[in-house]
Amino acid sequence: MNLNRVRRLNNFDIVKGPVVYWMSRDQRVNDNWALVYAQEIATLKKVPLVVVFCLAPNFLHATIRQYGFMLKGLTEVENALKELNFPFHLLIGEPASVVPEFIKNIEASVLITDFDPLKIKKQWKNEILKNITIPFHEVDAHNIIPAFIVSQKEEFAAYTIRPKINKLSPEYLEEFPPVNKIELTKSLLPSKEVDWNSVIQNLRIDRSVPEVDWAIPGEHAALNLLKEFIFDKLPGYNNNRNNPVKDAQSCLSPYLHFGQISAQRVALNIEKHFPESESKAAFMEELIVRRELSDNFCNYNLNYDSFDGFRDWGKKTLDEHRHDKRDHVYSREEFENSKTHEDLWNAAQNELKQKGKIHGYMRMYWAKKILEWSASPEEAMETAVFLNDKYELDGRDPNGYTGCAWAIGGIHDRAWTERPVFGKIRYMNRNGCKRKFDIDAYIDRNK
Ligand code: FO1
């Protein structure tokens, strides 16, 4: 495989012993460059390959809505690995201690993991580096063009990263090799079958946010959804995507978030089955350019989830307007409980709470109004990130953090005409929504 997808996190050389793939962001067996790489090393060195997933208790305050979806997807991973004769181990606890412990126990020779721009993942990896003496390699199995290859700095906007992506696409948008079944030798590292029900029951997490029923978790369901999207929805995508009362979106984002499908598989299948068109271009822009831009933002801006991460112009203009009179000011609880004066905003919040997603267009409106009706831009960003992470099925994703920073802080956007509270941050209003879609129908379906 293209070794530019791999980054060495330390300088140890590979010795003899099993290869461990610590699966984290990319929770799938097919189309996974980290697993492909791990298998290549194991085959070359003629050593076993073991896959582990480390279940972190209370990961960024995730609730049963997100844990449930993730764990059900992981049962499919366990079964698929069993078919291939790869041992799978579910480790429970803080990765910084349980991963090194596992490595020591099985005398592993190399640790491989997937890339993730989030701060917590970087911390985990840094802690692990202090506690191991074997090579630790990271593979970007999430982006088509690895985040550390496409750019080495925080990009300004889509127009600055797009040419870099376009230039590198021919090299990286390639077909995946299959993951090969290994011949069953008496494994020294048999899997310990996971009792998923008891794992779920023993999690000490917030269970007040119910799981959703519109999305069946797992790799298999994701591929079916992709097929349905390409044939049924993609033809009208460009006309319908900004209409929240039309069922025009792919709904793939939770699957992409948990790595149950690879963005590269989505792009390859679309390339194979769909003609060049405005719809295809619009979807590919979101799937590739916007996603890679979000990873770039979180990778190079450590304050991606707060006011401090905004660009100087955004901070300055919001500062200049921080004392402007607000017509309405709501607390986090009022926002959370859909208790604003505006039925359209409340409908978006209801959609978030009930379905675990807000339609893309309304997601922008939702965040803009949180800025307009919060006591300060800092508080607005905190509220938007809190609600997004608590209720979105794909919360705690670079895309979510970047979306909030775009709406509230003007990240990747330009300055607009100055107005109260927003300063030069782009404004959105109810009339704009009214012009685009039937807002009464949207309110009615999200009561
Ligand atoms: N990644 C892990 O490696 N272990 C976990 O226990 C874990 C829990 C989790 C819960 C909710 C959620 O939204 C994400 C979670 N992730 C976990 C991380 C996830 O796979 C992503 O890597 C990040 O959220 C960034 O995209």
Side-chain angles (χ1 to χ4, degrees), residues 22-27 53-63 65-68 70-71 74 91 93 95 114-118 120-121 124 142 203 256-259 295 389 392-399 401:
W22 167 31
M23 177 183 279
S24 178
R25 191 184 193 195
D26 291 281
Q27 301 166 15
F53 184 85
C54 184
L55 185 61
N58 211 3
F59 180 79
L60 298 175
H61 309 293
T63 71
R65 173 171 287 175
Q66 296 94 10
Y67 271 108
M70 181 178 87
L71 291 170
L74 284 170
L91 311 178
D114 35 51
F115 165 82
D116 197 318
L118 294 196
I120 184 167
K121 294 290 189 77
W124 286 355
H142 214 79
L203 277 173
L256 288 162
H257 168 66
F258 288 104
D295 258 39
D389 283 2
E392 276 279 343
L393 193 47
D394 64 351
R396 10 185 123 64
D397 193 273
N399 244 3
Y401 297 122

Side-chain angles (χ1 to χ4, degrees), residues 142-167:
H142 214 79
N143 292 293
I144 297 173
I145 298 137
F148 40 82
I149 295 284
V150 75
S151 173
Q152 286 71 47
K153 61 175 175 44
E154 184 183 341
E155 289 292 331
F156 199 73
Y159 75 84
T160 64
I161 201 171
R162 196 179 295 112
K164 298 181 181 176
I165 291 175
N166 289 342
K167 189 167 158 224

